[in-house]
Each structure stands twice: as C-alpha cells, then as structure tokens.
Amino acid sequence: MGRWKSGPDARGRFGPYGGRYAPETLMAPLVELAAAYDRARRDRRFGARLDELLATWAGRPTPLTHAARLSAELGGAQIYLKREDLLHTGAHKLNNALGQALLAAEMGKRRLIAETGAGQHGVATAAAAARLGLDCVIYMGEEDMRRQSLNVDRMRLFGAEVAPVGAGSRTLKDAINEAMRDWVTNVRTTHYVLGSVLGPDPFPRMVRDFQRVIGDEARRQLKRATGDELPDLVVACVGGGSNALGIFTAFLGDPEVRLVGVEAGGRGEAPGDHAARFGFGRLGVLHGTHTLLLQDDAGQVLPTHSVSAGLDYPAVGPEHVELARLGRAEYTRASDAEAVAALRLLCRTEGILPALETAHALAEVVKRAPRLGRRRRILVNLSGRGDKDLDSVGAFLDEEAATAARGGES
Amino acid sequence: MSAISETFARCRAEGRAAFVPFIVAGDPDLATTEELLIALAEAGADLIEIGVPFSDPIADGPVIQAAGQRALAAGATLERILASIARVRGRLGVPLVLFSYANPILVHGAARFAEKAAASGVDGVLIVDLPPEEAAAEVSPALAAHGLDRILLLAPTSGPERIDLVARAGSGFVYYVSRTGVTGEREALAAELPRQLRAVRRRLRLPVVVGFGISTPAQVAAVAPLADGVVVGSALVRLLHDCRDEPERLALVAARARQLAAAVRPAAAEAGGSRRRMRRRGGPF
Ligand SMILES: Cc1ncc(COP(=O)(O)O)c(C=O)c1O
C-alpha cells in the first residue's frame, strides 16, 4: 500500500502507543501467541483454510451497495455501503473471531473465551467455536445482556456458556476484566478471542489483520463500480476500532482518501455521559495497552454511556491514536439521538436496518454528504445489522417522545 | 543495602521466611488503614504490602476487587494513600511495598510518583501490569533514582528467559505468583509449587516471596521452608471486612496476623506437623 508503513514495531508499539502491559502470568503466553500468529500468517495452508471458511461458511465477499436513495436524499456525495451486516452472524466481528478460533485450534487450545458488548463478537465467537468443535465461554455485562438479549439467546443456541458480569458498570469494560481473569487462570488450555484492536500485543495487529479483508474487498469493488476511482472519504464507527481499521488499512497509502472514525457522543459531555476518548480522554493504560483513556485525575477509569453497547468503552485501539497523531485519520463523535435518527433514515431510504454502532458512522455521513459535490464518493463501513437493537431503539424513541411531551407542558 | 534487602538478610540469618501481609489501602477508610499498618507491624509482619485500589483490577479475585471498590468509594487516591503512609511511617519498623496497577501511577508521571513515594517512606514498588519490558524506559530508572526497590513478578508460566530478565531488572525481592490465576483464598496449594520454586531459586539471587492463594497458617508453614517470604492477602482483607461491625476488629486481624507470623518460624511448623508428614497425608500440597 504505497509508502505507508503499518505498525507496530517489535515491541508492539504504534508510535508511542500500544505495548504489552500484562501481568507476568500472561507475558510468556503472549509471546507464544505472537509467534504462533506470525507462523500462521506465513503459512499458506492456514490462509487457504481461513479463506475457504470465509467464503463457504461466512459469506465473503460481502457486497458493496450504492445507496442511491440515501445519496439523493442528502443531496451530495454518492454513498457506498460495505455490507458487513450481510456477513454470517450479522457483523464484521466474525472475520476476526473465525481467524482467532482457527489459530487457537492450530495452537492446540480447545477452549475459547471472549468478552462481548453488543453481543456480536460473542455470537461470532460462539459460532466459530461451534463450527470448529471448540468449547466456548462468553463474558457479558448484565446491562448488555439486558439490552442485547436476542444475542444472548443466539450464543446459547450455538452451545456457548454466557457468563453474566455484575461488576462495575456491567458493560463491555467489565466483561473484558472478567475474561482477562479467566485467561490468567486457564491460559494453558484457553485462547482469549479479544474482539477489537485492543489489549496487549499481538492483539491490536492480529485483529486488524483479520479485519483488513473488509477494506481490501471494498477497494476493489468500488474501483470496479466507479471505473477505477477511490473514495474521497471513508467513514466507520469506533468502539475499540476494529471495523474502522478493517476498512481504513486498505487506504492508508492513499493520502487523498480522508479517513474518519466516529465514536459515541452519548447524551452529553459530562463524564459518564459518553464514550468520546478522542474528545475527552488522556493517555493511560487499560487492558494491556497504552492509549487514550477516559479517566479521572487519580487514574481511575471513568464510566461511559452510549445507546450502543458496542461503542460503550472507555479506551480505544492504540493504532487509532497513532493515526490521529500523524494526522492520517480524524475522529469525531455522534450523539445517541443523531445515531438513532441516522438508523431510521437508512431504514427508510434503503431498506437496510443497521446496528446502532454502525448508525454512528451514518450520522457522520448525514453531516458530511451534503457538503460534498455529487461526483464525490463516501465509503461507509456498514459494520453490522440492527435486529438486535430493536428494543433499544424503541425505548430510546419512547424516552425522547416523553421528554418532548414534558418539555411541551412546561 | 536497602531496607528490604536488610529485612530478608535478617530473616535468612534467623533461618526463616518473612511474613508479608497484604492490605488494600483505604478499605474501609484511610484512618483504619493507618491503624492497621501499626497493628500488623506489631503483630510480627516483616514487610507490609499496601495495595492501591484500581477501578479495573484484572489480576484480583472477588475479595480484593470488593475491597478496592470500597476504598475508591470512600475516596482513596494514590496521593492520599501516600499521605497516610507518611503520617504513620515513623511508627512502623518494617519496610513497605506499594502494590499497584500501572495507570494510577503513570497518571502522575513516573518521576513525580517516585519522588513522592520515597518521601512518604515507601521502600519498594510492585506494579502488577507493568512487566520489565514496559518499565525499562521510564519507571524503573525513576524508582532507582529515588532509592526505591523495583519488585517484579514471576509466575508458573515464566520460563528461564523471563526469570533471567527479572533477575537483571528487579531489586529487593521477587514476587512469585503461586499459581496461574487471580488473588484469592484457595483450599490447596498448587502441586507443582515446590518444583517451580526450586527452579526459580536456582537462577535467581534475589529473595523469592510467594503469594496468591495462601491464606491459612498451615499453608504458610508449608510454603515458608521453600521461600524467603510468604504473602497473605485476601484472608486478612476478608477478615477485616467480615468483622467490620466489631469494635475490636483491628485486634482480631492482628491476632490472625500473629498466627500467620508464627507459622513462618520453623518451630511452629514443627509443632503443626512437618511438611513431609502433611504431604504424605495429602496436606496443603
Ligand atoms: C456492528 C458493530 N459495529 C461496531 C462495533 C464496535 O467495535 P469495533 O470498533 O471494534 O468495530 C461493534 C461492537 O460490538 C458492533 O457490533
């Protein structure tokens, strides 16, 4: 990809960020995992096996859709959707979960554990475990089990045990804490399928590499559809940042392509009301990596809020922080209300129900498309489908209506 | 020689292991922590580990997690903890080691933290999620510059290369994690522990202190002959919480600490049944 040199360095650093901040018990296993992953990357047989499963079981390649009616409605740039919502299990998460499950099997680890927020990574890991005949335990915050209950049922059908996490804010961060505790205890038999570009090296690069198929495909598909053109803008939502890096990586070497990541603006700017790490975070260490982190003055991690469980996390993948530092990508945020409005707009104009996470990327498109000419192209990573979010959207709209009614009375 | 090294040299001369209690600073409040430090030193602690609470303690089991939550809710911060230590330091004749996660320390900047910790009377610092590789650039030099020992960990997964790395980068003592897992009380000690400790001590000059999952006097007595020190954490933290409504709760914890301290003395181990005998009967190992 041009002259762009993708990190990390030998110490797992993307510029000053990243690294391997793990308890001693995990240090040797992380080195082992990195070695196994590097071997697998060079192993043609491993690549062929993964490609075959992606094609025949997971449904790759996913289509690229020209969103003609959405583009016309916004009255600006042409919008293209990379349809990861059509991937098996309903989100991009499967690209990574399947890759890591296959690697675990290669390493002789018969037990998979994973954290999940929205439930998509849990469902993907449970499905991959079922397909490969591995045991599977998914850690999920109790609050997320409530708001993503459809996915809890799906995981259980795939034979996974869903372990509720009642600590802290009972969301994604706490699920990762609990998964790490399990891994520290059972590391000899167990692989931890981390679901985003987070955690100690080699996770951020490994997850990115398993996800880059999104951007590689989209780049080819867009060129074919437009007569060899590149997008002017690539937009993706950023929880940990795996779907964003999955689509950004293919364009890093094209300086004319602007890359935009969208995080959760939540319901306001006060601590605890959002998950806007680029807006309000400071550098720190959480879950094994040095990165931007929402924390207080004493270094304690702050609670977060987002209408979407998958973006509701206080830290962000270290490679994103480096891309921001270099000015190669920019990061912005969308509020709960903007995301829900964008979700409804896509439903109405294109007949596609996106995940609430994805809707944050669409909210940014709603802001930018009208300012770009009709010949410009925006590529959006449609990271997942929104069936899981129907209850959350309904509850949000009821709440909004009630607030409006109260406002009307006063 | 640092205060920590002197302590282990003295214990070695007495032919015994050191007793190292661990507590969570600020649980239930810092005033109690100050009194508890004094009580533990009087009860026969040779060195005390002071846990700094953190919002996301991935290496801790339920007992220490809950204690950390209570401490944070009561307003404990690293800064206030250091102030408490400074207040009671003169009344404690034993070395103190801060046991923390990386973030509460890094937020202050390594150099500023090290200066404050040393000024408060801390002797060594152990950072659970800061392996030697990540400490090398800033934290280790900052600690060394202020005369603080850099306590590193080893675990059952650590091979010879990591043991050698820790031997080069650590000082004071090495904290050996007795089993893969998180902190917390366990019924039995890991069966491989004696063999692993022998392997570690063959490659290492630093004193080796064993912790994680050791909670009873019998377990302490079983580990003591194999190590230079034994840490008991969750059992004391739980006891303090369980008897929170007792006016004499500090005396109860101190009494427990006295039993644990007695268990590192060889005579006591003898009285409790020799290690070999316990093993034959399916004792602590
Ligand atoms: C559909 C979807 N998109 C995005 C995300 C956010 O994760 P990431 O930033 O790693 O892509 C999630 C996470 O659960 C998700 O389910």
Side-chain angles (χ1 to χ4, degrees):
Chain A
M1 274 317 107
R3 276 171 293 106
W4 185 268
K5 195 173 165 313
S6 268
D9 65 16
R11 292 168 53 236
R13 294 263 171 183
F14 302 89
Y17 317 115
R20 209 177 257 167
Y21 293 81
E24 175 61 27
T25 308
L26 294 179
M27 288 305 285
L30 285 167
V31 171
E32 208 177 294
L33 176 61
Y37 173 59
D38 289 336
R39 254 192 327 276
R41 262 158 55 106
R42 287 190 300 267
D43 177 2
R44 244 186 254 133
R45 202 184 38 85
F46 181 89
R49 178 99 200 279
L50 180 57
D51 286 348
E52 198 212 303
L53 280 166
L54 285 173
T56 63
W57 179 69
R60 295 221 77 89
T62 59
L64 183 76
T65 301
H66 178 211
R69 283 194 10 97
L70 175 65
S71 307
E73 172 119 359
L74 295 174
Q78 298 310 304
I79 299 159
Y80 291 84
L81 309 172
K82 178 59 175 164
R83 300 292 304 279
E84 294 302 294
D85 61 317
L86 293 179
L87 190 64
H88 179 44
T89 67
H92 70 291
K93 296 286 180 186
L94 189 64
N95 300 318
N96 167 53
L98 182 59
Q100 287 198 46
L102 212 51
L103 182 63
E106 291 279 304
M107 294 176 74
K109 312 237 168 178
R110 308 298 304 172
R111 179 174 178 267
L112 301 183
I113 57 170
E115 84 294 344
T116 198
Q120 289 301 137
H121 176 58
V123 169
T125 305
R131 169 74 207 197
L132 300 178
L134 305 171
D135 294 334
C136 184
V137 177
I138 305 293
Y139 291 94
M140 190 169 189
E142 285 171 355
E143 165 66 10
D144 290 339
M145 287 179 73
R146 185 189 61 71
R147 54 180 167 168
Q148 309 276 247
S149 63
L150 180 70
N151 278 341
V152 175
D153 296 339
R154 292 166 77 202
M155 287 183 260
R156 288 181 173 147
L157 274 173
F158 289 143
E161 177 192 336
V162 181
V165 178
S169 53
R170 297 175 294 127
T171 56
L172 182 54
K173 163 179 86 93
D174 310 287
I176 296 183
N177 289 342
E178 214 48 49
M180 289 212 156
R181 291 182 188 118
D182 181 318
W183 203 34
V184 165
T185 308
N186 301 302
V187 65
R188 290 189 177 101
T189 59
T190 298
H191 175 67
Y192 178 18
V193 185
L194 190 47
S196 193
V197 285
L198 299 164
D201 182 75
F203 284 107
R205 63 184 161 103
M206 178 168 71
V207 177
R208 173 201 64 199
D209 294 349
F210 283 136
Q211 291 291 3
R212 72 166 290 162
V213 62
I214 303 171
D216 290 341
E217 281 179 14
R219 187 186 167 95
R220 276 197 303 276
Q221 290 167 320
L222 189 73
K223 284 189 155 200
R224 205 177 309 131
T226 60
D228 217 29
E229 301 283 354
L230 286 174
D232 296 280
L233 198 63
V234 178
V235 185
C237 66
V238 181
S242 68
N243 87 88
L245 280 182
I247 198 159
F248 288 177
T249 299
F251 301 99
L252 286 175
D254 307 303
E256 68 274 28
V257 179
R258 292 179 69 172
L259 309 173
V260 181
V262 188
E263 47 184 3
R267 61 192 164 213
E269 299 198 340
D273 280 350
H274 58 80
R277 295 74 41 108
F278 284 97
F280 306 99
R282 283 187 291 158
L283 289 176
V285 170
L286 181 68
H287 295 148
T289 192
H290 178 64
T291 188
L292 272 182
L293 178 61
L294 292 167
Q295 56 179 313
D296 67 16
D297 291 339
Q300 305 295 338
V301 179
L302 287 169
T304 52
H305 161 81
S306 170
V307 69
S308 71
L311 305 187
D312 200 350
Y313 179 72
V316 65
E319 188 169 359
H320 284 292
V321 189
E322 174 66 353
L323 290 177
R325 187 180 71 96
L326 297 174
R328 183 60 195 93
E330 55 196 287
Y331 295 85
T332 162
R333 57 184 179 270
S335 70
D336 288 351
E338 289 168 335
V340 171
L343 174 144
R344 299 178 77 194
L345 177 64
L346 191 72
C347 287
R348 186 165 58 71
T349 55
E350 298 290 340
I352 297 170
L353 168 60
L356 272 172
E357 291 79 15
T358 315
H360 288 71
L362 294 165
E364 183 64 19
V365 172
V366 169
K367 291 176 202 168
R368 295 213 188 199
R371 290 187 255 140
L372 293 173
R374 313 262 293 259
R375 319 254 319 255
R376 300 300 192 85
R377 289 159 303 274
I378 300 179
L379 172 63
V380 191
N381 194 354
L382 206 82
S383 58
R385 72 180 188 219
D387 310 48
K388 67 184 177 64
D389 292 320
L390 287 181
D391 289 348
S392 297
V393 171
F396 183 87
L397 292 175
D398 289 348
E399 177 80 12
E400 213 176 38
T403 309
R406 273 199 303 278
E409 279 160 25
S410 65
Chain B
M1 201 193 257
S2 75
I4 291 175
S5 303
E6 273 171 26
T7 295
F8 286 104
R10 199 191 67 239
C11 290
R12 220 172 250 190
E14 291 172 17
R16 66 175 180 91
F19 166 54
V20 182
F22 167 96
I23 60 169
V24 175
D27 171 36
D29 51 55
L30 281 165
T32 307
T33 299
E34 292 174 21
E35 292 176 53
L36 183 60
L37 287 171
I38 295 165
L40 288 172
E42 283 171 2
D46 294 296
L47 184 157
I48 304 176
E49 283 190 355
I50 303 173
V52 177
F54 181 50
S55 52
D56 296 271
I58 57 161
D60 284 304
V63 169
I64 291 174
Q65 283 176 46
Q69 287 302 312
R70 291 192 293 271
L72 291 175
T77 62
L78 182 54
E79 212 146 328
R80 290 187 190 136
I81 292 166
L82 291 178
S84 276
I85 291 173
R87 258 195 299 279
V88 293
R89 190 65 187 96
R91 299 166 65 188
L92 306 172
V94 299
L96 301 176
V97 169
L98 271 191
F99 189 111
S100 182
Y101 288 83
N103 204 54
I105 286 179
L106 296 179
V107 79
H108 292 277
R112 239 189 75 208
F113 159 74
E115 186 186 336
K116 278 195 177 174
S120 310
V122 168
D123 296 284
V125 178
L126 185 162
I127 308 172
V128 198
D129 53 349
L130 195 75
E133 291 92 326
E134 299 296 357
E138 269 185 71
V139 175
S140 291
L143 296 180
H146 290 90
L148 293 163
D149 274 322
R150 168 83 172 104
I151 316 301
L152 293 171
L153 296 112
L154 284 170
T157 49
S158 313
E161 272 176 41
R162 296 204 59 82
I163 298 174
D164 293 347
L165 176 63
V166 163
R168 284 194 305 275
S171 68
F173 65 90
V174 164
Y175 189 121
Y176 188 83
V177 175
S178 78
R179 59 171 66 236
T180 59
V182 294
T183 56
E185 298 156 81
R186 298 289 183 344
E187 294 277 310
L189 297 166
E192 326 87 76
L193 183 61
R195 187 182 50 73
Q196 286 163 344
L197 281 174
R198 274 194 301 277
V200 166
R201 296 180 80 184
R202 259 201 306 278
R203 298 189 81 92
L204 207 63
R205 278 234 196 78
L206 290 168
V208 176
V209 173
V210 183
F212 277 46
I214 301 170
S215 51
T216 65
Q219 289 173 334
V220 170
V223 175
L226 310 171
D228 299 288
V230 187
V231 183
V232 176
S234 294
L236 293 171
V237 171
R238 188 174 52 76
L239 180 62
L240 179 70
H241 182 62
D242 284 352
C243 54
R244 60 192 173 279
D245 297 327
E246 305 262 349
E248 292 305 304
R249 66 181 193 279
L250 286 174
L252 290 169
V253 177
R256 187 62 176 170
R258 225 169 269 119
Q259 293 169 347
L260 295 163
V264 296
R265 271 82 180 167
E270 219 53 61
S274 78
R275 185 161 59 83
R276 210 183 280 131
R277 217 164 71 218
M278 282 197 287
R279 214 157 165 193
R280 231 182 288 126
R281 292 201 201 133
F285 281 104

